[in-house]
Coordinates of all heavy atoms in Angstrom, one line a residue:
M1 N 120.8 91.7 125.1 CA 121.0 93.0 125.8 C 120.0 94.1 125.3 O 119.9 94.2 124.1 CB 122.4 93.5 125.6 CG 122.8 94.5 126.7 SD 124.4 95.3 126.2 CE 125.5 93.9 126.3
K2 N 119.4 94.7 126.2 CA 118.4 95.7 125.8 C 119.1 97.0 125.4 O 120.1 97.4 126.0 CB 117.4 96.0 127.0 CG 116.3 94.9 127.1 CD 115.3 95.4 128.0 CE 115.2 94.5 129.2 NZ 114.3 94.9 130.2
T3 N 118.5 97.7 124.5 CA 118.9 99.0 124.1 C 117.9 100.0 124.7 O 116.7 99.9 124.4 CB 119.1 99.2 122.6 OG1 119.9 98.2 122.1 CG2 119.7 100.5 122.2
H4 N 118.4 101.0 125.5 CA 117.5 102.0 126.1 C 117.5 103.3 125.3 O 118.4 103.5 124.5 CB 118.0 102.2 127.5 CG 117.9 101.0 128.4 ND1 116.8 100.8 129.2 CD2 118.7 100.0 128.6 CE1 117.0 99.6 129.8 NE2 118.2 99.1 129.5
Y5 N 116.5 104.0 125.6 CA 116.4 105.3 124.9 C 117.0 106.5 125.7 O 116.6 106.7 126.8 CB 114.9 105.6 124.6 CG 114.6 106.8 123.7 CD1 115.3 106.9 122.5 CD2 113.7 107.7 124.1 CE1 115.1 108.0 121.7 CE2 113.5 108.8 123.3 CZ 114.2 108.9 122.1 OH 113.9 110.0 121.3
E6 N 117.8 107.2 125.0 CA 118.4 108.3 125.7 C 117.7 109.6 125.3 O 117.6 109.9 124.1 CB 119.9 108.4 125.2 CG 120.6 109.6 125.9 CD 122.0 109.8 125.3 OE1 122.3 109.2 124.2 OE2 122.8 110.5 125.9
I7 N 117.2 110.3 126.3 CA 116.5 111.6 126.0 C 117.5 112.7 126.3 O 118.0 112.8 127.4 CB 115.3 111.7 126.9 CG1 114.3 110.6 126.7 CG2 114.7 113.1 126.7 CD1 113.1 110.6 127.6
V8 N 117.8 113.5 125.3 CA 118.7 114.6 125.5 C 117.9 115.8 126.1 O 117.0 116.2 125.5 CB 119.4 115.0 124.2 CG1 120.3 116.2 124.4 CG2 120.2 113.8 123.7
I9 N 118.3 116.2 127.3 CA 117.6 117.3 127.9 C 118.2 118.6 127.5 O 117.5 119.6 127.3 CB 117.7 117.1 129.5 CG1 117.0 115.8 129.9 CG2 117.0 118.3 130.2 CD1 117.3 115.3 131.3
F10 N 119.5 118.6 127.5 CA 120.2 119.8 127.1 C 121.3 119.5 126.1 O 122.3 118.8 126.5 CB 120.8 120.4 128.4 CG 121.5 121.7 128.2 CD1 120.9 122.9 128.0 CD2 122.9 121.7 128.1 CE1 121.6 124.1 127.7 CE2 123.6 122.9 127.9 CZ 122.9 124.1 127.7
E11 N 121.2 120.0 124.9 CA 122.2 119.7 123.9 C 123.4 120.6 124.1 O 123.2 121.8 124.4 CB 121.7 119.8 122.5 CG 121.0 118.6 122.1 CD 120.5 118.6 120.6 OE1 121.4 118.7 119.8 OE2 119.3 118.7 120.4
G12 N 124.6 120.1 124.0 CA 125.8 120.9 124.2 C 125.9 122.0 123.1 O 125.5 121.9 122.0
T13 N 126.5 123.1 123.5 CA 126.7 124.2 122.6 C 128.2 124.4 122.5 O 129.0 123.7 123.2 CB 126.1 125.5 123.1 OG1 126.6 125.8 124.4 CG2 124.6 125.4 123.2
E14 N 128.7 125.3 121.7 CA 130.1 125.5 121.5 C 130.8 126.0 122.8 O 131.8 125.5 123.1 CB 130.3 126.5 120.4 CG 131.2 126.0 119.3 CD 131.3 126.9 118.1 OE1 132.2 127.8 118.1 OE2 130.4 126.8 117.2
S15 N 130.1 126.9 123.5 CA 130.7 127.4 124.7 C 130.5 126.4 125.9 O 131.3 126.4 126.8 CB 130.0 128.7 125.1 OG 128.6 128.6 125.1
D16 N 129.5 125.6 125.8 CA 129.2 124.6 126.9 C 128.9 123.3 126.3 O 127.8 122.9 126.1 CB 128.1 125.1 127.7 CG 127.8 124.2 128.9 OD1 128.7 123.3 129.2 OD2 126.8 124.3 129.6
P17 N 130.0 122.5 125.9 CA 129.8 121.3 125.2 C 129.2 120.2 126.0 O 128.9 119.1 125.5 CB 131.2 120.9 124.7 CG 132.1 121.7 125.6 CD 131.4 122.8 126.2
E18 N 129.0 120.4 127.3 CA 128.5 119.3 128.1 C 127.0 119.0 127.7 O 126.2 120.0 127.6 CB 128.5 119.8 129.6 CG 128.2 118.7 130.6 CD 129.5 118.0 131.1 OE1 130.6 118.6 131.0 OE2 129.4 116.8 131.4
E19 N 126.7 117.8 127.6 CA 125.4 117.4 127.2 C 124.7 116.6 128.3 O 125.3 115.8 129.0 CB 125.5 116.5 126.0 CG 124.1 116.2 125.3 CD 124.3 115.3 124.1 OE1 124.3 114.1 124.2 OE2 124.4 115.9 123.0
Y20 N 123.5 117.0 128.6 CA 122.8 116.3 129.7 C 121.7 115.4 129.1 O 120.9 115.9 128.2 CB 122.1 117.3 130.6 CG 123.1 118.2 131.3 CD1 123.4 119.5 130.7 CD2 123.9 117.8 132.4 CE1 124.4 120.3 131.3 CE2 124.8 118.7 132.9 CZ 125.0 119.9 132.4 OH 126.0 120.7 132.9
S21 N 121.6 114.2 129.5 CA 120.6 113.3 129.0 C 120.2 112.4 130.1 O 120.9 112.2 131.1 CB 121.1 112.6 127.8 OG 122.2 111.8 128.2
Q22 N 119.1 111.7 129.9 CA 118.7 110.7 130.8 C 118.0 109.5 130.1 O 117.7 109.6 128.9 CB 117.7 111.3 131.8 CG 116.3 111.6 131.2 CD 115.4 112.1 132.3 OE1 115.7 112.9 133.1 NE2 114.1 111.6 132.3
I23 N 118.0 108.4 130.8 CA 117.4 107.2 130.2 C 115.9 107.3 130.3 O 115.4 107.5 131.4 CB 118.0 105.9 130.8 CG1 119.5 106.0 130.9 CG2 117.5 104.7 130.1 CD1 120.2 106.1 129.6
A24 N 115.2 107.0 129.3 CA 113.7 107.2 129.2 C 113.0 106.4 130.3 O 112.1 106.9 131.0 CB 113.2 106.8 127.9
C25 N 113.5 105.2 130.6 CA 112.8 104.4 131.6 C 113.2 104.6 133.0 O 112.7 104.0 134.0 CB 112.9 102.9 131.3 SG 114.6 102.3 131.4
G26 N 114.2 105.5 133.2 CA 114.6 105.9 134.5 C 115.8 105.2 135.1 O 116.2 105.5 136.2
M27 N 116.4 104.3 134.3 CA 117.5 103.6 134.8 C 118.7 104.6 134.9 O 118.8 105.5 134.0 CB 117.9 102.4 133.9 CG 116.8 101.4 133.9 SD 117.2 99.7 134.2 CE 118.9 99.5 133.6
Q28 N 119.6 104.4 135.8 CA 120.7 105.3 136.0 C 121.9 104.8 135.1 O 122.5 105.6 134.4 CB 121.2 105.4 137.4 CG 120.2 105.9 138.4 CD 119.8 107.3 138.0 OE1 120.6 108.1 137.7 NE2 118.5 107.6 138.1
V29 N 122.2 103.5 135.1 CA 123.3 103.0 134.4 C 122.8 101.9 133.4 O 122.1 101.0 133.8 CB 124.4 102.4 135.3 CG1 125.6 101.9 134.5 CG2 124.8 103.4 136.4
V30 N 123.1 102.1 132.2 CA 122.7 101.0 131.2 C 123.9 100.7 130.3 O 124.9 101.5 130.2 CB 121.6 101.5 130.3 CG1 120.3 101.7 131.1 CG2 121.9 102.8 129.5
N31 N 123.9 99.5 129.7 CA 125.0 99.1 128.9 C 124.9 99.7 127.5 O 125.9 100.0 126.9 CB 125.1 97.6 128.8 CG 125.5 97.0 130.1 OD1 126.4 97.4 130.8 ND2 124.8 95.9 130.5
K32 N 123.7 99.9 127.1 CA 123.5 100.3 125.7 C 122.4 101.3 125.6 O 121.3 101.0 126.2 CB 123.2 99.1 124.8 CG 124.0 99.1 123.5 CD 123.6 97.8 122.8 CE 123.8 98.1 121.3 NZ 123.2 97.0 120.5
M33 N 122.6 102.4 125.0 CA 121.5 103.4 124.8 C 121.7 104.1 123.4 O 122.7 104.1 122.9 CB 121.5 104.4 125.9 CG 122.7 105.2 126.1 SD 122.5 106.3 127.5 CE 124.1 107.1 127.5
T34 N 120.6 104.6 122.9 CA 120.6 105.2 121.6 C 119.6 106.4 121.7 O 118.7 106.5 122.5 CB 120.1 104.2 120.5 OG1 120.1 104.9 119.3 CG2 118.8 103.7 120.8
K35 N 119.9 107.4 120.8 CA 119.0 108.5 120.6 C 118.0 108.2 119.5 O 117.1 109.0 119.3 CB 119.8 109.7 120.2 CG 120.6 110.3 121.3 CD 121.5 111.4 120.8 CE 122.5 111.8 121.8 NZ 123.6 112.6 121.2
Y36 N 118.1 107.1 118.9 CA 117.2 106.7 117.7 C 116.2 105.8 118.2 O 116.5 104.6 118.6 CB 118.1 106.2 116.6 CG 119.1 107.1 116.2 CD1 120.5 106.9 116.5 CD2 118.8 108.3 115.4 CE1 121.5 107.8 116.1 CE2 119.8 109.2 115.1 CZ 121.1 108.9 115.4 OH 122.1 109.8 115.1
S37 N 114.9 106.2 118.2 CA 113.9 105.4 118.7 C 113.7 104.1 118.0 O 113.2 103.1 118.6 CB 112.6 106.2 118.7 OG 112.3 106.7 117.4
D38 N 114.1 104.0 116.8 CA 113.9 102.7 116.1 C 114.9 101.6 116.4 O 114.8 100.5 116.0 CB 113.8 102.9 114.5 CG 115.1 103.6 114.0 OD1 115.8 104.2 114.9 OD2 115.3 103.6 112.8
Q39 N 115.9 102.0 117.3 CA 116.9 101.0 117.7 C 116.6 100.6 119.1 O 117.3 99.7 119.7 CB 118.3 101.6 117.6 CG 118.7 101.8 116.2 CD 119.9 102.7 116.1 OE1 120.6 103.0 117.1 NE2 120.2 103.1 114.9
V40 N 115.6 101.1 119.8 CA 115.3 100.8 121.2 C 114.6 99.5 121.3 O 113.7 99.2 120.5 CB 114.4 102.0 121.8 CG1 114.0 101.6 123.2 CG2 115.2 103.3 121.7
T41 N 115.1 98.7 122.3 CA 114.4 97.4 122.5 C 113.9 97.3 123.9 O 113.2 96.3 124.2 CB 115.4 96.2 122.2 OG1 116.6 96.5 123.1 CG2 115.8 96.2 120.8
C42 N 114.2 98.3 124.8 CA 113.7 98.2 126.1 C 112.2 98.6 126.1 O 111.8 99.6 125.6 CB 114.4 99.2 127.0 SG 113.6 99.6 128.6
K43 N 111.3 97.7 126.6 CA 109.9 97.9 126.5 C 109.4 99.2 127.3 O 108.6 99.9 126.8 CB 109.1 96.7 127.1 CG 109.0 95.6 126.0 CD 108.1 94.5 126.5 CE 108.1 93.4 125.4 NZ 107.9 92.1 126.0
K44 N 110.0 99.4 128.4 CA 109.7 100.6 129.2 C 110.0 101.9 128.5 O 109.3 102.8 128.4 CB 110.4 100.6 130.6 CG 109.7 99.7 131.6 CD 110.4 99.9 132.9 CE 109.9 98.8 133.9 NZ 110.8 98.8 135.1
C45 N 111.2 101.9 127.8 CA 111.6 103.0 127.1 C 110.7 103.2 125.9 O 110.3 104.3 125.5 CB 113.1 102.8 126.6 SG 114.3 103.1 127.8
L46 N 110.3 102.1 125.2 CA 109.4 102.2 124.1 C 108.1 102.9 124.5 O 107.5 103.7 123.7 CB 109.2 100.8 123.5 CG 110.3 100.3 122.6 CD1 110.1 98.9 122.3 CD2 110.6 101.1 121.4
K47 N 107.6 102.5 125.7 CA 106.4 103.1 126.1 C 106.5 104.6 126.3 O 105.6 105.4 125.9 CB 106.0 102.5 127.5 CG 104.9 101.4 127.3 CD 104.3 101.1 128.7 CE 103.3 100.0 128.5 NZ 102.9 99.4 129.7
V48 N 107.6 105.0 126.8 CA 107.9 106.5 127.0 C 107.9 107.1 125.7 O 107.4 108.2 125.5 CB 109.2 106.7 127.8 CG1 109.5 108.2 127.9 CG2 109.1 106.1 129.2
I49 N 108.6 106.5 124.7 CA 108.7 107.1 123.4 C 107.3 107.3 122.8 O 107.0 108.3 122.2 CB 109.5 106.2 122.4 CG1 111.0 106.2 122.9 CG2 109.4 106.6 121.0 CD1 111.8 105.1 122.2
Q50 N 106.5 106.3 122.9 CA 105.1 106.3 122.4 C 104.3 107.5 123.0 O 103.7 108.2 122.2 CB 104.4 105.0 122.7 CG 103.3 104.7 121.7 CD 102.6 103.5 122.0 OE1 102.6 103.0 123.2 NE2 101.9 102.9 121.1
K51 N 104.5 107.6 124.3 CA 103.8 108.7 124.9 C 104.3 110.1 124.4 O 103.5 111.0 124.2 CB 104.0 108.7 126.5 CG 103.0 107.8 127.2 CD 103.1 108.0 128.7 CE 102.5 106.9 129.4 NZ 102.9 106.8 130.8
R52 N 105.6 110.2 124.3 CA 106.1 111.4 123.8 C 105.7 111.7 122.4 O 105.4 112.9 122.0 CB 107.7 111.4 123.8 CG 108.2 111.5 125.2 CD 109.7 111.1 125.3 NE 110.5 111.9 124.4 CZ 111.2 113.0 124.8 NH1 111.1 113.3 126.1 NH2 112.0 113.7 124.0
V53 N 105.6 110.7 121.5 CA 105.2 110.9 120.2 C 103.8 111.4 120.2 O 103.4 112.4 119.5 CB 105.3 109.6 119.4 CG1 104.5 109.7 118.0 CG2 106.7 109.2 119.1
I54 N 102.9 110.8 120.9 CA 101.5 111.2 121.0 C 101.4 112.6 121.5 O 100.7 113.5 121.0 CB 100.7 110.2 121.9 CG1 100.6 108.9 121.1 CG2 99.3 110.8 122.2 CD1 100.0 107.8 121.9
A55 N 102.1 112.9 122.6 CA 102.1 114.3 123.2 C 102.5 115.3 122.2 O 101.9 116.3 122.0 CB 103.0 114.3 124.4
S56 N 103.6 115.0 121.4 CA 104.1 116.0 120.4 C 103.1 116.1 119.3 O 103.0 117.2 118.7 CB 105.5 115.6 119.9 OG 105.4 114.4 119.1
L57 N 102.5 115.1 118.9 CA 101.5 115.2 117.8 C 100.3 116.1 118.3 O 99.9 116.9 117.5 CB 100.9 113.8 117.5 CG 101.8 112.8 116.7 CD1 101.1 111.5 116.5 CD2 102.2 113.4 115.4
V58 N 99.9 115.9 119.5 CA 98.8 116.7 120.0 C 99.2 118.2 120.1 O 98.5 119.1 119.8 CB 98.3 116.2 121.3 CG1 97.2 117.1 121.9 CG2 97.7 114.8 121.1
T59 N 100.5 118.4 120.6 CA 100.9 119.8 120.8 C 101.2 120.4 119.5 O 101.1 121.6 119.3 CB 102.2 119.8 121.6 OG1 102.4 118.6 122.3 CG2 102.3 121.0 122.5
L60 N 101.7 119.7 118.5 CA 102.1 120.2 117.2 C 100.9 121.0 116.6 O 101.1 122.0 116.0 CB 102.4 119.1 116.2 CG 103.9 118.8 116.1 CD1 104.1 117.6 115.2 CD2 104.7 120.0 115.7
G61 N 99.7 120.5 116.8 CA 98.5 121.1 116.4 C 98.6 121.4 114.9 O 99.0 120.6 114.1
N62 N 98.1 122.6 114.5 CA 98.0 122.9 113.1 C 99.3 123.1 112.4 O 99.3 123.1 111.1 CB 97.0 124.1 112.9 CG 95.7 123.8 113.5 OD1 95.2 122.7 113.4 ND2 95.1 124.8 114.2
D63 N 100.4 123.4 113.1 CA 101.6 123.7 112.4 C 102.2 122.4 111.8 O 102.9 122.4 110.9 CB 102.7 124.3 113.3 CG 102.1 125.3 114.2 OD1 101.2 126.0 113.8 OD2 102.5 125.3 115.4
G64 N 101.9 121.3 112.5 CA 102.5 120.0 112.2 C 101.6 119.3 111.2 O 101.5 119.7 110.0
I65 N 101.1 118.2 111.6 CA 100.4 117.3 110.7 C 98.9 117.5 110.9 O 98.1 116.8 110.4 CB 100.7 115.9 111.0 CG1 100.7 115.6 112.5 CG2 102.1 115.5 110.5 CD1 100.5 114.2 112.9
G66 N 98.5 118.6 111.6 CA 97.1 118.9 111.8 C 96.7 118.2 113.0 O 96.5 117.0 113.1
G67 N 96.6 119.0 114.1 CA 96.3 118.4 115.4 C 94.8 118.1 115.5 O 94.0 118.4 114.6
A68 N 94.5 117.5 116.6 CA 93.1 117.2 116.8 C 92.7 117.7 118.2 O 93.5 117.6 119.1 CB 92.8 115.7 116.7
K69 N 91.5 118.2 118.3 CA 91.1 118.6 119.7 C 90.7 117.4 120.5 O 89.9 116.5 120.0 CB 89.9 119.5 119.5 CG 90.2 121.0 119.7 CD 89.0 121.8 119.9 CE 89.3 123.3 119.9 NZ 88.2 124.1 119.6
M70 N 91.3 117.3 121.7 CA 90.9 116.1 122.5 C 89.6 116.4 123.2 O 89.2 117.5 123.5 CB 92.0 116.0 123.6 CG 93.3 115.5 123.1 SD 93.3 113.9 122.3 CE 93.7 114.4 120.6
T71 N 88.8 115.3 123.3 CA 87.5 115.4 123.8 C 87.5 114.8 125.2 O 88.5 114.3 125.7 CB 86.5 114.7 123.0 OG1 86.7 113.3 123.0 CG2 86.5 115.2 121.5
S72 N 86.4 114.8 125.9 CA 86.3 114.2 127.2 C 86.0 112.7 127.0 O 86.1 111.9 128.0 CB 85.2 114.8 128.0 OG 84.0 114.8 127.3
N73 N 85.8 112.2 125.8 CA 85.6 110.8 125.6 C 86.9 110.1 125.3 O 87.5 110.4 124.3 CB 84.6 110.7 124.4 CG 84.2 109.3 124.1 OD1 85.0 108.4 124.2 ND2 82.9 109.1 123.8
K74 N 87.3 109.2 126.1 CA 88.5 108.5 125.9 C 88.6 107.7 124.6 O 89.7 107.7 124.0 CB 88.7 107.5 127.1 CG 89.8 107.9 128.1 CD 90.2 106.7 129.0 CE 91.3 107.1 129.9 NZ 91.7 106.0 130.8
A75 N 87.6 107.0 124.3 CA 87.6 106.2 123.1 C 87.7 107.1 121.9 O 88.5 106.8 120.9 CB 86.3 105.4 123.0
E76 N 87.1 108.2 121.9 CA 87.1 109.2 120.9 C 88.5 109.7 120.7 O 89.1 109.9 119.6 CB 86.1 110.3 121.2 CG 85.9 111.3 120.0 CD 85.2 110.7 118.8 OE1 84.4 109.7 119.0 OE2 85.4 111.2 117.7
N77 N 89.2 110.0 121.9 CA 90.5 110.5 121.9 C 91.5 109.6 121.3 O 92.4 110.0 120.5 CB 91.0 110.9 123.3 CG 90.3 112.1 123.8 OD1 89.7 112.8 123.1 ND2 90.5 112.4 125.1
S78 N 91.4 108.3 121.6 CA 92.4 107.4 121.1 C 92.2 107.2 119.6 O 93.1 106.9 118.8 CB 92.3 106.0 121.8 OG 91.0 105.6 122.0
K79 N 91.0 107.4 119.1 CA 90.7 107.3 117.7 C 91.4 108.5 117.0 O 92.0 108.3 116.0 CB 89.2 107.4 117.4 CG 88.7 106.4 116.4 CD 87.2 106.4 116.2 CE 86.7 107.5 115.3 NZ 85.3 107.6 115.3
L80 N 91.3 109.7 117.6 CA 91.9 110.9 117.1 C 93.4 110.7 117.0 O 94.1 111.1 116.0 CB 91.5 112.1 117.9 CG 90.1 112.6 117.8 CD1 89.8 113.6 118.9 CD2 89.9 113.2 116.4
I81 N 94.0 110.1 118.1 CA 95.4 110.0 118.1 C 95.9 109.0 117.1 O 96.9 109.2 116.4 CB 95.8 109.5 119.5 CG1 95.7 110.7 120.5 CG2 97.3 109.0 119.6 CD1 95.8 110.4 121.9
L82 N 95.1 107.9 116.9 CA 95.5 106.9 115.9 C 95.5 107.6 114.5 O 96.3 107.3 113.7 CB 94.5 105.8 115.9 CG 94.8 104.7 116.9 CD1 93.7 103.6 116.8 CD2 96.1 104.1 116.7
E83 N 94.5 108.4 114.3 CA 94.4 109.1 113.0 C 95.6 110.0 112.8 O 96.2 110.1 111.7 CB 93.1 110.0 113.0 CG 91.9 109.3 112.5 CD 90.7 110.2 112.6 OE1 90.8 111.4 112.4 OE2 89.6 109.6 112.7
L84 N 96.0 110.7 113.9 CA 97.2 111.6 113.8 C 98.5 110.7 113.5 O 99.3 111.1 112.6 CB 97.4 112.3 115.1 CG 96.5 113.5 115.4 CD1 96.8 114.0 116.8 CD2 96.8 114.6 114.4
L85 N 98.6 109.6 114.1 CA 99.7 108.7 113.9 C 99.8 108.3 112.4 O 100.8 108.2 111.8 CB 99.7 107.5 114.8 CG 100.0 107.8 116.3 CD1 99.8 106.6 117.1 CD2 101.5 108.2 116.4
E86 N 98.6 107.9 111.9 CA 98.5 107.5 110.5 C 98.9 108.6 109.6 O 99.7 108.4 108.7 CB 97.1 107.1 110.2 CG 96.7 105.7 110.6 CD 97.7 104.7 109.9 OE1 97.9 104.8 108.7 OE2 98.2 103.8 110.7
R87 N 98.5 109.8 109.9 CA 98.8 110.9 109.0 C 100.3 111.2 109.1 O 100.9 111.6 108.1 CB 98.0 112.2 109.5 CG 96.8 112.4 108.5 CD 96.2 113.7 108.9 NE 95.2 113.6 110.0 CZ 94.7 114.6 110.6 NH1 95.0 115.9 110.2 NH2 93.8 114.4 111.6
S88 N 100.9 111.1 110.3 CA 102.3 111.4 110.4 C 103.1 110.4 109.6 O 104.2 110.7 109.2 CB 102.7 111.4 111.9 OG 102.7 110.2 112.4
K89 N 102.6 109.2 109.5 CA 103.4 108.2 108.7 C 103.4 108.5 107.2 O 104.3 108.2 106.5 CB 102.7 106.8 108.9 CG 103.3 106.1 110.1 CD 102.6 104.7 110.2 CE 102.3 104.3 111.6 NZ 101.2 103.4 111.7
L90 N 102.3 109.1 106.8 CA 102.2 109.4 105.4 C 103.1 110.5 104.9 O 103.6 110.6 103.8 CB 100.7 109.9 105.0 CG 99.7 108.8 105.2 CD1 98.3 109.4 105.0 CD2 99.9 107.7 104.3
K91 N 103.5 111.4 105.9 CA 104.3 112.6 105.5 C 105.8 112.2 105.2 O 106.3 111.3 105.8 CB 104.3 113.6 106.6 CG 103.1 114.5 106.5 CD 103.5 115.9 106.9 CE 102.4 116.9 106.3 NZ 102.7 118.3 106.8
Ligands
ZN101 ZN1 114.9 101.4 129.2

């Protein structure tokens, strides 16, 4: 059985405990889902997680692990992203 990734869109507060979330791969009903990316086994969900990680690394910029400026060169960009991922693992 696959474990899907649950993305929390709106976390419940004390006054409004209702929590809104969706499945990363777009499925409506799943048997198993988790908020923890390391427990996810659905390949589509994993792809979404990867994209989100990369996007957050790029957005984090200098506050986080030291962002990289994206260039118009695709190969150059993926190299930069790999570097960012490496650096984030070290922290
Ligand atoms: Zn999934």
